């Protein structure tokens, strides 16, 4: 089968991207194409079909292989993130130039949210870029995790992920401290590779009943089965509004109830009718505690939670449901079936 070259540094192929890329590869396979990781630009033929994961790689490809046909998977907003996270106008300016140029060069883009589509439509009103949407998901439903004995009778909280600024770790620890004062049987576990940093922060903030551990990505679904609630806190910023964090699917696939802000607009809209989810309107510790205690006042049936989350996966979080739209997208943007 002819190749579609995935031009991306090896570091970009990680636990957060592997599931998504496997879904894209499956659709491309149905069209008679192999998605082949080709990190060496010299190995990409001049007229190749190429997929990139960010505009820096897309720019390198466009400079060295101007006749190649380019598709992009847009995971985030690099210019806006540079300005927000690094407070760097220069970085933001450079990323904006690369972004605008490579989008004009692209056959089409796979985006992670409708909010992202709307962002680019407003930012580049003259741009005629075909796109389709598939949210970031890295897990499939695990019914047995919902049936873990005692899962919904004890307030065991978990956070799984890194300690980057946008994860709002301090806000989470502050909220749990306030919550523990009213719910003393509550526990919190941080599952992170950054164990030393996490332990230091817990000591600094004197967060009670909190432990730190690490599990490999392959073992995360089984580890999450032990918990009732999972934290996902985000500030209200455009970078977060267009995002669809994989943590939501990881938690829900294991029957873990997300405790999350409404910052990710597509999640707030598409999962608004899914229950139980603890929706938050701010990062205030008292507000978070109040919302969790309101949920705690309800008795949960594991099979009812499973049915609700299965519906969310069937209608939104299952990548299989996006295959027809993805096939149509690649065909109409010029990737002929082989």
């Amino acid at each position: 089968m002819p190749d579609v070259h995935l031009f991306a540094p090896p570091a970009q192929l990680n636990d957060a991207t592997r599931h998504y890329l496997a879904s894209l590869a499956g659709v491309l396979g149905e069209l008679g194409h192999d998605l082949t990781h080709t990190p060496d630009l010299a190995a990409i033929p001049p007229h190749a079909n190429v997929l990139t994961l960010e505009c820096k790689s897309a720019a390198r490809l466009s400079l060295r292989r101007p006749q190649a046909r380019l598709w992009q998977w847009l995971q985030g907003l690099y210019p806006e993130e540079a300005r927000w996270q690094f407070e760097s106008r220069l970085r933001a300016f450079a990323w904006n130039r690369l972004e605008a140029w490579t989008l004009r060069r692209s056959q089409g883009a796979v985006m992670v949210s409708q909010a992202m589509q709307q962002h680019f439509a407003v930012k580049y009103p003259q741009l005629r870029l075909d796109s389709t949407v598939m949210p970031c998901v890295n897990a499939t439903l695990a019914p047995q995790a919902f049936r873990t004995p005692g899962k919904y009778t004890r307030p065991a909280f978990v956070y799984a992920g890194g300690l980057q600024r946008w994860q709002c770790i301090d806000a989470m620890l502050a909220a749990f401290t306030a919550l523990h004062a009213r719910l003393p049987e509550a526990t919190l576990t941080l599952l992170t590779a950054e164990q030393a940093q996490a332990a230091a922060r817990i000591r600094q903030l004197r967060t009670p009943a909190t432990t730190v551990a690490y599990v490999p990505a392959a073992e995360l679904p089984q580890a999450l089965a032990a918990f009732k609630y999972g934290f996902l806190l985000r500030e209200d910023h455009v970078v977060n509004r267009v995002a669809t964090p994989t943590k939501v699917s990881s938690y829900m696939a294991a029957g873990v109830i997300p405790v999350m802000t409404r910052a990710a607009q597509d999640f707030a809209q598409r999962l608004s009718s899914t229950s139980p989810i603890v929706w938050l309107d701010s990062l205030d510790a008292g507000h978070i505690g109040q919302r969790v205690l309101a949920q705690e006042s309800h008795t949960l049936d594991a099979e009812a939670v499973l049915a609700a989350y299965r519906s969310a996966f069937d209608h939104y979080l299952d990548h299989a449901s996006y295959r027809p739209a993805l096939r149509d997208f690649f065909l109409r943007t010029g990737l002929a079936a082989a």
Side-chain angles (χ1 to χ4, degrees), residues 59 97 229 279 312:
R97 294 296 294 270
Y229 297 105
W279 290 107

Side-chain angles (χ1 to χ4, degrees), residues 74-77 80-81 84-85 111-120 122 133 135 166 232-245 261-270 279 316:
L74 300 175
Q75 303 171 65
L77 307 181
E80 288 77 10
E81 187 172 322
W84 182 41
Q85 296 294 331
M111 302 189 186
V112 301
S113 66
Q114 291 180 344
M116 179 178 280
Q117 282 184 317
Q118 294 160 6
H119 167 82
F120 283 113
V122 171
V133 169
W166 63 84
L232 195 157
L233 307 184
R234 294 288 190 274
E235 295 178 52
D236 184 20
H237 187 279
V238 65
V239 170
N240 293 325
R241 288 179 213 131
V242 306
T244 49
T261 51
R262 301 180 191 272
Q265 290 184 353
D266 278 40
F267 282 166
Q269 294 170 6
R270 298 296 299 274
W279 290 107
Y316 180 48

